[in-house]
Amino acid sequence: MEANFFDRVYAVARQIPYGKVTSYGAIAKAIGSGRSARMVGYAMNACGGRDDVPAHRVVNRKGLLTGKHHFDGTNLMQQLLESEGVEVVDNQIVDFEKHFWQPEIQK
């Protein structure tokens, strides 16, 4: 996995608006690298400690907080989302479609 791929993932993640979320697959599609959603997940997991990448806004395609165990603290991912007005119940975003942000295809 080249650093360029991770950089492209992070560039899209930085564009996710406050109070919105997107999915690993949507980022993979946006960067058009032919890489899978799982590869985007690896990139997001590797960005721990980077305050410039809002990793808490990236969830799975059903709105589940599948990456929550990569955050410090028991419910930090959920707390960060809730501080932005995104309701989470049982590790799933309520009204996922309302909060979903579709990234533009990158050139």
Side-chain angles (χ1 to χ4, degrees):
M1 294 175 285
E2 71 279 3
N4 189 18
F5 173 75
F6 280 27
D7 292 341
R8 292 172 68 201
V9 169
Y10 300 155
V12 173
R14 285 187 198 98
Q15 296 173 34
I16 305 168
Y18 182 93
K20 296 290 185 180
V21 295
T22 196
S23 67
Y24 302 105
I27 292 176
K29 184 176 179 182
I31 63 176
S33 70
R35 303 283 177 102
S36 68
R38 183 168 303 214
M39 296 295 286
V40 172
Y42 293 151
M44 297 311 298
N45 295 343
C47 79
R50 291 186 64 157
D51 293 336
D52 64 324
V53 180
H56 64 283
R57 296 180 188 152
V58 184
V59 297
N60 84 354
R61 63 187 173 88
K62 295 180 180 177
L64 288 169
L65 278 55
T66 52
K68 72 179 197 149
H69 59 279
H70 293 284
F71 288 81
D72 291 335
T74 308
N75 289 315
L76 182 58
M77 184 177 188
Q78 179 172 336
Q79 291 167 350
L80 290 167
L81 288 167
E82 288 175 341
S83 74
E84 296 183 11
V86 178
E87 185 180 359
V88 178
V89 175
D90 293 330
N91 296 316
Q92 185 158 17
I93 294 172
V94 176
D95 293 328
F96 179 55
E97 298 79 20
K98 178 180 113 180
H99 295 288
F100 186 78
W101 174 76
Q102 181 66 52
E104 291 184 27
I105 303 297
Q106 306 294 303
K107 305 219 185 292

mmCIF file with all atom_site columns, all heavy atoms in Angstrom, residues 18-29:
data_model
loop_
_atom_site.group_PDB
_atom_site.id
_atom_site.type_symbol
_atom_site.label_atom_id
_atom_site.label_alt_id
_atom_site.label_comp_id
_atom_site.label_asym_id
_atom_site.label_entity_id
_atom_site.label_seq_id
_atom_site.pdbx_PDB_ins_code
_atom_site.Cartn_x
_atom_site.Cartn_y
_atom_site.Cartn_z
_atom_site.occupancy
_atom_site.B_iso_or_equiv
_atom_site.pdbx_formal_charge
_atom_site.auth_seq_id
_atom_site.auth_comp_id
_atom_site.auth_asym_id
_atom_site.auth_atom_id
_atom_site.pdbx_PDB_model_num
ATOM 1  N N   . TYR A 1 18 ? -18.803 18.845 8.861  1.00 0.00 ? 18 TYR A N   1
ATOM 2  C CA  . TYR A 1 18 ? -19.184 18.712 10.268 1.00 0.00 ? 18 TYR A CA  1
ATOM 3  C C   . TYR A 1 18 ? -20.628 18.219 10.330 1.00 0.00 ? 18 TYR A C   1
ATOM 4  O O   . TYR A 1 18 ? -21.500 18.727 9.631  1.00 0.00 ? 18 TYR A O   1
ATOM 5  C CB  . TYR A 1 18 ? -19.047 20.086 10.930 1.00 0.00 ? 18 TYR A CB  1
ATOM 6  C CG  . TYR A 1 18 ? -19.366 20.128 12.395 1.00 0.00 ? 18 TYR A CG  1
ATOM 7  C CD1 . TYR A 1 18 ? -18.360 19.972 13.336 1.00 0.00 ? 18 TYR A CD1 1
ATOM 8  C CD2 . TYR A 1 18 ? -20.672 20.340 12.842 1.00 0.00 ? 18 TYR A CD2 1
ATOM 9  C CE1 . TYR A 1 18 ? -18.635 20.025 14.694 1.00 0.00 ? 18 TYR A CE1 1
ATOM 10 C CE2 . TYR A 1 18 ? -20.958 20.398 14.204 1.00 0.00 ? 18 TYR A CE2 1
ATOM 11 C CZ  . TYR A 1 18 ? -19.936 20.238 15.126 1.00 0.00 ? 18 TYR A CZ  1
ATOM 12 O OH  . TYR A 1 18 ? -20.214 20.297 16.463 1.00 0.00 ? 18 TYR A OH  1
ATOM 13 N N   . GLY A 1 19 ? -20.885 17.200 11.148 1.00 0.00 ? 19 GLY A N   1
ATOM 14 C CA  . GLY A 1 19 ? -22.239 16.679 11.296 1.00 0.00 ? 19 GLY A CA  1
ATOM 15 C C   . GLY A 1 19 ? -22.661 15.704 10.213 1.00 0.00 ? 19 GLY A C   1
ATOM 16 O O   . GLY A 1 19 ? -23.810 15.281 10.162 1.00 0.00 ? 19 GLY A O   1
ATOM 17 N N   . LYS A 1 20 ? -21.731 15.337 9.337  1.00 0.00 ? 20 LYS A N   1
ATOM 18 C CA  . LYS A 1 20 ? -22.012 14.379 8.269  1.00 0.00 ? 20 LYS A CA  1
ATOM 19 C C   . LYS A 1 20 ? -21.073 13.195 8.399  1.00 0.00 ? 20 LYS A C   1
ATOM 20 O O   . LYS A 1 20 ? -20.041 13.257 9.068  1.00 0.00 ? 20 LYS A O   1
ATOM 21 C CB  . LYS A 1 20 ? -21.812 15.025 6.886  1.00 0.00 ? 20 LYS A CB  1
ATOM 22 C CG  . LYS A 1 20 ? -22.779 16.157 6.592  1.00 0.00 ? 20 LYS A CG  1
ATOM 23 C CD  . LYS A 1 20 ? -24.174 15.623 6.387  1.00 0.00 ? 20 LYS A CD  1
ATOM 24 C CE  . LYS A 1 20 ? -25.139 16.711 5.973  1.00 0.00 ? 20 LYS A CE  1
ATOM 25 N NZ  . LYS A 1 20 ? -26.488 16.193 5.768  1.00 0.00 ? 20 LYS A NZ  1
ATOM 26 N N   . VAL A 1 21 ? -21.435 12.102 7.738  1.00 0.00 ? 21 VAL A N   1
ATOM 27 C CA  . VAL A 1 21 ? -20.596 10.902 7.709  1.00 0.00 ? 21 VAL A CA  1
ATOM 28 C C   . VAL A 1 21 ? -20.560 10.372 6.284  1.00 0.00 ? 21 VAL A C   1
ATOM 29 O O   . VAL A 1 21 ? -21.417 10.706 5.464  1.00 0.00 ? 21 VAL A O   1
ATOM 30 C CB  . VAL A 1 21 ? -21.121 9.800  8.657  1.00 0.00 ? 21 VAL A CB  1
ATOM 31 C CG1 . VAL A 1 21 ? -21.051 10.237 10.102 1.00 0.00 ? 21 VAL A CG1 1
ATOM 32 C CG2 . VAL A 1 21 ? -22.524 9.374  8.279  1.00 0.00 ? 21 VAL A CG2 1
ATOM 33 N N   . THR A 1 22 ? -19.573 9.545  6.012  1.00 0.00 ? 22 THR A N   1
ATOM 34 C CA  . THR A 1 22 ? -19.530 8.832  4.745  1.00 0.00 ? 22 THR A CA  1
ATOM 35 C C   . THR A 1 22 ? -19.058 7.414  5.033  1.00 0.00 ? 22 THR A C   1
ATOM 36 O O   . THR A 1 22 ? -18.755 7.069  6.173  1.00 0.00 ? 22 THR A O   1
ATOM 37 C CB  . THR A 1 22 ? -18.650 9.552  3.709  1.00 0.00 ? 22 THR A CB  1
ATOM 38 O OG1 . THR A 1 22 ? -18.952 9.033  2.404  1.00 0.00 ? 22 THR A OG1 1
ATOM 39 C CG2 . THR A 1 22 ? -17.166 9.397  3.997  1.00 0.00 ? 22 THR A CG2 1
ATOM 40 N N   . SER A 1 23 ? -18.999 6.603  3.992  1.00 0.00 ? 23 SER A N   1
ATOM 41 C CA  . SER A 1 23 ? -18.620 5.202  4.186  1.00 0.00 ? 23 SER A CA  1
ATOM 42 C C   . SER A 1 23 ? -17.258 4.915  3.567  1.00 0.00 ? 23 SER A C   1
ATOM 43 O O   . SER A 1 23 ? -16.776 5.652  2.704  1.00 0.00 ? 23 SER A O   1
ATOM 44 C CB  . SER A 1 23 ? -19.670 4.276  3.559  1.00 0.00 ? 23 SER A CB  1
ATOM 45 O OG  . SER A 1 23 ? -19.661 4.413  2.155  1.00 0.00 ? 23 SER A OG  1
ATOM 46 N N   . TYR A 1 24 ? -16.675 3.824  3.994  1.00 0.00 ? 24 TYR A N   1
ATOM 47 C CA  . TYR A 1 24 ? -15.403 3.377  3.435  1.00 0.00 ? 24 TYR A CA  1
ATOM 48 C C   . TYR A 1 24 ? -15.541 3.176  1.928  1.00 0.00 ? 24 TYR A C   1
ATOM 49 O O   . TYR A 1 24 ? -14.684 3.588  1.149  1.00 0.00 ? 24 TYR A O   1
ATOM 50 C CB  . TYR A 1 24 ? -14.958 2.062  4.088  1.00 0.00 ? 24 TYR A CB  1
ATOM 51 C CG  . TYR A 1 24 ? -14.818 2.134  5.589  1.00 0.00 ? 24 TYR A CG  1
ATOM 52 C CD1 . TYR A 1 24 ? -15.776 1.562  6.422  1.00 0.00 ? 24 TYR A CD1 1
ATOM 53 C CD2 . TYR A 1 24 ? -13.732 2.764  6.181  1.00 0.00 ? 24 TYR A CD2 1
ATOM 54 C CE1 . TYR A 1 24 ? -15.646 1.610  7.804  1.00 0.00 ? 24 TYR A CE1 1
ATOM 55 C CE2 . TYR A 1 24 ? -13.593 2.823  7.566  1.00 0.00 ? 24 TYR A CE2 1
ATOM 56 C CZ  . TYR A 1 24 ? -14.563 2.247  8.367  1.00 0.00 ? 24 TYR A CZ  1
ATOM 57 O OH  . TYR A 1 24 ? -14.437 2.306  9.730  1.00 0.00 ? 24 TYR A OH  1
ATOM 58 N N   . GLY A 1 25 ? -16.645 2.560  1.520  1.00 0.00 ? 25 GLY A N   1
ATOM 59 C CA  . GLY A 1 25 ? -16.879 2.288  0.100  1.00 0.00 ? 25 GLY A CA  1
ATOM 60 C C   . GLY A 1 25 ? -17.049 3.553  -0.716 1.00 0.00 ? 25 GLY A C   1
ATOM 61 O O   . GLY A 1 25 ? -16.592 3.629  -1.858 1.00 0.00 ? 25 GLY A O   1
ATOM 62 N N   . ALA A 1 26 ? -17.714 4.562  -0.141 1.00 0.00 ? 26 ALA A N   1
ATOM 63 C CA  . ALA A 1 26 ? -17.905 5.824  -0.863 1.00 0.00 ? 26 ALA A CA  1
ATOM 64 C C   . ALA A 1 26 ? -16.567 6.513  -1.102 1.00 0.00 ? 26 ALA A C   1
ATOM 65 O O   . ALA A 1 26 ? -16.334 7.086  -2.166 1.00 0.00 ? 26 ALA A O   1
ATOM 66 C CB  . ALA A 1 26 ? -18.847 6.742  -0.087 1.00 0.00 ? 26 ALA A CB  1
ATOM 67 N N   . ILE A 1 27 ? -15.674 6.426  -0.127 1.00 0.00 ? 27 ILE A N   1
ATOM 68 C CA  . ILE A 1 27 ? -14.336 7.005  -0.312 1.00 0.00 ? 27 ILE A CA  1
ATOM 69 C C   . ILE A 1 27 ? -13.573 6.222  -1.371 1.00 0.00 ? 27 ILE A C   1
ATOM 70 O O   . ILE A 1 27 ? -12.936 6.809  -2.250 1.00 0.00 ? 27 ILE A O   1
ATOM 71 C CB  . ILE A 1 27 ? -13.565 7.056  1.020  1.00 0.00 ? 27 ILE A CB  1
ATOM 72 C CG1 . ILE A 1 27 ? -14.210 8.078  1.962  1.00 0.00 ? 27 ILE A CG1 1
ATOM 73 C CG2 . ILE A 1 27 ? -12.096 7.406  0.776  1.00 0.00 ? 27 ILE A CG2 1
ATOM 74 C CD1 . ILE A 1 27 ? -13.587 8.147  3.346  1.00 0.00 ? 27 ILE A CD1 1
ATOM 75 N N   . ALA A 1 28 ? -13.648 4.896  -1.319 1.00 0.00 ? 28 ALA A N   1
ATOM 76 C CA  . ALA A 1 28 ? -12.953 4.064  -2.314 1.00 0.00 ? 28 ALA A CA  1
ATOM 77 C C   . ALA A 1 28 ? -13.431 4.415  -3.725 1.00 0.00 ? 28 ALA A C   1
ATOM 78 O O   . ALA A 1 28 ? -12.625 4.557  -4.647 1.00 0.00 ? 28 ALA A O   1
ATOM 79 C CB  . ALA A 1 28 ? -13.181 2.584  -2.021 1.00 0.00 ? 28 ALA A CB  1
ATOM 80 N N   . LYS A 1 29 ? -14.737 4.568  -3.869 1.00 0.00 ? 29 LYS A N   1
ATOM 81 C CA  . LYS A 1 29 ? -15.298 4.916  -5.181 1.00 0.00 ? 29 LYS A CA  1
ATOM 82 C C   . LYS A 1 29 ? -14.848 6.313  -5.606 1.00 0.00 ? 29 LYS A C   1
ATOM 83 O O   . LYS A 1 29 ? -14.521 6.544  -6.770 1.00 0.00 ? 29 LYS A O   1
ATOM 84 C CB  . LYS A 1 29 ? -16.819 4.841  -5.133 1.00 0.00 ? 29 LYS A CB  1
ATOM 85 C CG  . LYS A 1 29 ? -17.483 5.082  -6.456 1.00 0.00 ? 29 LYS A CG  1
ATOM 86 C CD  . LYS A 1 29 ? -18.990 4.888  -6.354 1.00 0.00 ? 29 LYS A CD  1
ATOM 87 C CE  . LYS A 1 29 ? -19.639 5.163  -7.704 1.00 0.00 ? 29 LYS A CE  1
ATOM 88 N NZ  . LYS A 1 29 ? -21.090 5.031  -7.630 1.00 0.00 ? 29 LYS A NZ  1
#
